[in-house]
């Protein structure tokens, strides 16, 4: 069974604090509990106000909504990043508490939610295709509730397109409105109109939402929301709001809860986790402090994503270098190897600064893998500028890289730029880049041959259910034969073969492990 097919499981509420907390002045937050009709507004989403971040601990499902789902089933289809996957776990938790059951079969679903991603045009096209498919289902089953949520619903153009062309959608709600799901679902069931509730500006954190995790031994833990970096190509600061850090005690309590429940690996999530704590005005606590505290909790593996080179401080490197449950893998998106491009992307570091940081990481954490994200075909990128990206990939010899052709996102500064680079040239650059990237990942994997490594067994391999797959501490994918009983366990595997994107290996017996 793969992740998509796995149903959401038990519901838990993982925080224990009770009183609401704020970091300053009192503020009217009645809107958090009242129904509103609000379409998105990109201009408001861009504003970064100085208002305080409130943390609400009083989430509960209103009594009149607790049984609405009895006898009904829901299905959530998730697109995009881990943050979205994790939001889906919160939505599933809420729906289960409302009496719904989860299903993986769309024919038996009474509620279908599309949790969408806006990062590139092709992500959006996929969702519009799916919205179109659901029209047929809705005709056959008029009682079906179709909802669109996630990052696309934060975009004005998307909401307008749905309002105009996809009237079979019953509900649109934004990334800041997840805690309002009980009310929204109730309204969608009883109203004939399309319900649209998308808050564009948001400063608060809602704790204590019920959560139904998909993973039984791997869990995501949000540590911060939003992004203030405003890279010029990127829609995320608009769809996710300003940077807001969860309080350390709430994060730590959630991690402890997972440890008590036998979780083997957690991944701390944020768009830019290195900025963790900067918005907590009453504290100097940062990501390095959080990791140091989490080191003492009995979770065997701790990961975090995503890092921005800008806020990556020495303390952070030092704490990862301590080893233990801190995994030796750093995902550090570089985007381009050319300083002019980096500058107009608003990345706020130069190629040289990136290289110096990566060198420091490699020196202090010698076995660490370094992976990255790269965009080709930013407006007006020249062949020479692209060559700089190629040369950086060769210089850094990344263990892996996610590569993308630039996609214009409405409302971002880059989308307003003229662009003289033809589509075919961009595609050709992507292909040339991928050749270099793949060569380096193959070399990095080749170095693993004959080594014996610790692997967390995640499940059956997607291609062959007779083979299991898992990941090394450095996040490399390993396929190997072993009994299914080791799924969810840490085992040792001897690497026998290396490919560009994965490794093959053999399970090492317990007797052999004892001699290691
Ligand atoms: N917050 C993370 C990244 C989130 S998006 C970070 O800053 O690292 C993941 C990746 O998608 C980015 O690193 C970037 O490489 C890519 N991306 C973002 N916007 C894009 C766009 N408009 N076109 C193409 N790729 C994009
Ligand atoms: Fe987007 Fe840049 Fe923020 Fe990452 S850091 S989410 S690329 S704006
Ligand atoms: Fe996509 Fe939103 Fe994540 S745009 S990448 S789902 S933050």
């Amino acid at each position: 069974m793969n992740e998509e097919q796995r149903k959401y499981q038990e519901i838990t509420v993982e925080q224990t604090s009770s009183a609401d907390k704020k970091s300053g002045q009192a503020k009217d937050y009645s809107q958090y509990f009242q129904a509103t009709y609000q379409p998105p507004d990109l201009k408001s989403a861009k504003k970064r106000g100085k208002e305080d971040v409130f943390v609400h601990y009083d989430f509960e499902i209103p009594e009149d909504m607790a049984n609405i789902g009895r006898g009904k089933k829901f299905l959530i289809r998730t697109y995009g990043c881990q943050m979205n996957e994790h939001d889906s776990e919160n939505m599933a938790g809420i729906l289960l508490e409302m009496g719904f059951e989860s299903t993986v079969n769309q024919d038996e679903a009474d509620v279908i939610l599309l949790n969408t991603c806006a990062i590139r045009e092709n992500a959006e096209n996929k969702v519009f295709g799916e919205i179109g498919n659901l029209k047929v289902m809705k005709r056959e089953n008029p009682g079906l509730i179709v909802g669109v949520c996630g990052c696309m619903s934060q975009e004005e153009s998307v909401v307008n397109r749905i309002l105009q062309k996809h009237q079979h959608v019953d509900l649109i709600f934004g990334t800041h409105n997840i805690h309002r799901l009980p009310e929204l679902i109730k309204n969608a069931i009883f109203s004939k109109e399309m319900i649209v509730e998308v808050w564009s500006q948001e400063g608060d954190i809602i704790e204590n939402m019920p959560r139904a995790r998909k993973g039984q031994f791997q869990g995501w833990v949000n540590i911060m929301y939003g992004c203030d970096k405003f890279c010029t190509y990127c829609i995320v600061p608009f769809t996710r709001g300003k940077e807001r850090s969860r309080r350390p005690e709430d994060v730590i309590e959630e991690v402890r809860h997972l440890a008590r429940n036998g979780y083997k690996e957690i991944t701390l999530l944020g768009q830019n986790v290195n900025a963790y704590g900067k918005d907590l005005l009453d504290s100097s606590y940062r990501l390095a402090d959080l990791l140091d505290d989490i080191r003492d909790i009995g979770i065997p593996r701790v990961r975090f994503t995503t890092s921005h080179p800008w806020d990556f401080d020495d303390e952070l490197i030092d704490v990862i270098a301590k080893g233990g449950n801190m995994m030796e893998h750093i995902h550090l998106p570089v985007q381009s190897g050319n300083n002019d491009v980096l500058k107009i992307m608003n990345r706020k570091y130069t190629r040289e600064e990136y290289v110096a940081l990566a060198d420091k990481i490699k020196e202090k954490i010698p076995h660490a893998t370094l992976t990255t994200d790269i965009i080709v075909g930013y407006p007006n990128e020249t062949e020479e500028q692209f060559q700089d990206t190629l040369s950086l990939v060769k210089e850094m010899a990344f263990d892996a890289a996610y590569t993308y052709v630039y996609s214009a996102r409405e409302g971002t500064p880059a989308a307003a730029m003229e662009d003289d680079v033809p589509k075919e040239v961009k595609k050709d650059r992507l292909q040339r880049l991928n050749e270099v990237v793949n060569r380096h990942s193959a070399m990095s994997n080749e170095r693993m041959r004959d080594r014996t490594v610790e692997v967390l067994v995640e499940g059956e391999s997607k291609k062959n259910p007779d083979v299991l797959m898992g990941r090394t501490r450095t996040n490399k994918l390993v396929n190997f034969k072993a009994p299914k009983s080791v799924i969810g366990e840490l085992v040792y595997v001897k690497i026998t073969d290396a490919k560009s994107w994965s490794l093959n290996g053999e399970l090492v017996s317990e007797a052999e492990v004892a001699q290691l």
Side-chain angles (χ1 to χ4, degrees):
M1 204 189 269
N2 66 31
E3 274 298 303
E4 259 317 302
Q5 293 164 325
R6 195 171 291 146
K7 282 199 203 175
Y8 295 96
Q9 320 241 321
E10 89 286 15
I11 320 169
T12 46
V13 178
E14 290 157 358
Q15 290 79 39
T16 53
S17 323
S18 57
D20 278 14
K21 285 182 193 157
K22 58 188 169 63
S23 51
Q25 298 284 304
K27 172 179 128 174
D28 173 21
Y29 54 87
S30 53
Q31 65 155 343
Y32 285 92
F33 308 105
Q34 282 168 14
T36 51
Y37 174 83
Q38 225 171 307
D41 165 16
L42 277 185
K43 273 205 192 100
S44 309
K46 197 172 168 185
K47 285 188 196 137
R48 288 296 183 266
K50 289 224 169 73
E51 63 279 349
D52 300 309
V53 172
F54 280 72
V55 187
H56 303 269
Y57 293 94
D58 50 2
F59 177 89
E60 56 183 35
I61 312 270
E63 250 173 59
D64 61 327
M65 298 170 201
N67 284 314
I68 280 183
R70 201 73 358 126
K72 295 190 175 136
K73 294 187 173 165
F74 74 88
L75 185 151
I76 307 176
R77 200 155 278 155
T78 312
Y79 304 80
C81 63
Q82 293 101 324
M83 190 74 77
N84 252 17
E85 293 283 353
H86 195 39
D87 284 347
S88 291
E89 295 184 331
N90 278 334
M91 292 185 228
I94 294 175
L95 291 170
L96 289 170
E97 280 218 340
M98 290 171 74
F100 288 93
E101 264 179 67
S102 92
T103 178
V104 290
N105 175 1
Q106 71 168 23
D107 293 332
E108 58 175 38
D110 301 281
V111 173
I112 297 181
L113 298 181
L114 304 182
N115 191 7
T116 64
C117 171
I119 201 83
R120 282 170 291 274
E121 198 185 344
N122 56 6
E124 298 207 347
N125 290 343
K126 246 193 246 167
V127 170
F128 273 111
E130 190 56 30
I131 293 177
N133 294 341
L134 289 175
K135 191 171 193 169
V136 183
M137 280 199 74
K138 178 84 184 179
R139 215 177 289 141
E140 284 163 9
N141 173 12
L144 172 70
I145 299 290
V146 174
V148 177
C149 53
C151 287
M152 277 171 71
S153 56
Q154 297 291 136
E155 295 180 285
E156 287 167 71
S157 57
V158 167
V159 171
N160 289 338
R161 184 166 159 191
I162 295 176
L163 283 167
Q164 283 160 15
K165 296 201 182 138
H166 302 283
Q167 270 297 321
H168 62 287
V169 169
D170 302 279
L171 167 65
I172 304 177
F173 63 99
T175 58
H176 308 308
N177 303 67
I178 291 173
H179 63 291
R180 304 245 324 121
L181 195 53
E183 179 104 23
L184 294 169
I185 289 281
K186 186 181 95 173
N187 292 351
I189 292 174
F190 294 112
S191 158
K192 289 203 165 58
E193 303 290 309
M194 194 190 299
I195 307 288
V196 179
E197 189 181 284
V198 182
W199 295 342
S200 296
Q201 236 192 325
E202 147 76 11
D204 290 14
I205 292 177
I206 317 287
E207 293 287 350
N208 286 4
M209 274 198 269
R211 186 173 291 134
R213 294 183 183 275
K214 268 192 174 173
Q216 285 161 318
F217 48 87
Q218 289 174 297
W220 287 302
V221 177
N222 270 129
I223 63 168
M224 62 183 304
Y225 303 96
C227 179
D228 288 346
K229 292 287 177 284
F230 286 102
C231 303
T232 49
Y233 50 81
C234 184
I235 193 75
V236 173
F238 299 83
T239 64
R240 292 281 170 171
K242 72 174 182 180
E243 287 178 356
R244 288 153 285 145
S245 300
R246 284 180 73 196
R247 299 226 151 222
E249 61 271 27
D250 294 331
V251 175
I252 287 168
E253 185 46 42
E254 186 175 334
V255 176
R256 286 213 177 102
H257 175 93
L258 292 174
R260 283 195 296 270
N261 284 278
Y263 277 73
K264 299 277 168 41
E265 180 178 278
I266 56 159
T267 303
L268 307 177
L269 291 182
Q271 288 306 332
N272 168 26
V273 286
N274 308 38
Y276 177 77
K278 285 190 159 182
D279 59 307
L280 297 172
L281 301 176
D282 52 354
S283 138
S284 56
Y285 196 89
R286 294 286 180 268
L287 182 60
D289 302 302
L290 184 66
L291 290 179
D292 222 8
D293 283 340
I294 290 178
R295 267 170 52 76
D296 300 332
I297 302 177
I299 284 269
R301 288 183 163 201
V302 178
R303 302 185 185 279
F304 58 89
T305 195
T306 299
S307 292
H308 190 297
W310 189 1
D311 294 310
F312 213 111
D313 53 38
D314 286 357
E315 289 76 16
L316 188 51
I317 303 178
D318 291 339
V319 69
I320 306 166
K322 288 181 186 171
N325 57 1
M326 297 289 132
M327 295 301 100
E328 295 88 4
H329 167 225
I330 291 161
H331 185 63
L332 196 63
V334 65
Q335 315 298 0
S336 167
N338 176 272
N339 281 337
D340 292 332
V341 175
L342 286 171
K343 191 152 192 206
I344 42 171
M345 282 179 162
N346 194 30
R347 289 294 289 183
K348 298 219 158 66
Y349 52 82
T350 60
R351 174 189 176 120
E352 292 72 27
E353 282 162 349
Y354 182 93
V355 172
L357 174 61
D359 284 349
K360 194 158 32 169
I361 292 172
K362 285 183 174 174
E363 187 195 316
K364 290 197 174 173
I365 319 166
H367 300 299
T369 48
L370 188 69
T371 58
T372 199
D373 292 346
I374 296 168
I375 297 176
V376 298
Y378 187 85
N380 310 312
E381 181 191 59
T382 64
E383 174 62 25
E384 291 70 39
Q385 289 171 332
F386 169 66
Q387 288 290 341
D388 284 344
T389 297
L390 284 184
S391 77
L392 180 76
V393 172
K394 288 175 191 156
E395 181 180 349
M396 294 308 312
F398 291 112
D399 296 280
Y402 297 92
T403 56
Y404 309 99
V405 170
Y406 164 77
S407 169
R409 308 283 67 215
E410 195 181 316
T412 61
M417 288 169 73
E418 298 229 352
D419 186 2
D420 64 5
V421 190
K423 234 187 192 152
E424 303 71 62
V425 172
K426 296 187 188 212
K427 277 194 190 154
D428 180 60
R429 283 184 193 160
L430 183 70
Q431 211 183 337
R432 285 153 66 203
L433 173 64
N434 284 346
E435 275 165 24
V436 181
V437 162
N438 291 346
R439 209 163 54 232
H440 283 286
S441 13
M443 271 153 40
S444 155
N445 284 344
E446 194 54 48
R447 286 194 293 275
M448 300 290 291
R449 202 186 277 273
D450 297 331
R451 280 202 213 157
T452 297
V453 284
E454 183 198 87
V455 170
L456 174 61
V457 192
E458 294 185 7
E460 292 167 6
S461 139
K462 280 198 183 115
K463 286 191 200 136
N464 178 358
D466 293 335
V467 172
L468 298 184
M469 60 77 64
R471 282 179 195 273
T472 65
R473 290 175 63 93
T474 53
N475 211 34
K476 286 183 185 284
L477 191 86
V478 186
N479 293 308
F480 58 100
K481 283 209 166 135
K484 302 241 171 1
S485 56
V486 297
I487 293 175
E489 301 295 326
L490 288 161
V491 296
Y492 281 88
V493 174
K494 182 166 183 196
I495 305 303
T496 51
D497 196 10
K499 312 210 159 126
S500 288
W501 287 92
S502 65
L503 302 163
N504 291 340
E506 282 166 5
L507 186 68
V508 176
S509 71
E510 277 176 34
E512 286 167 314
V513 172
Q515 290 176 2
L516 286 179

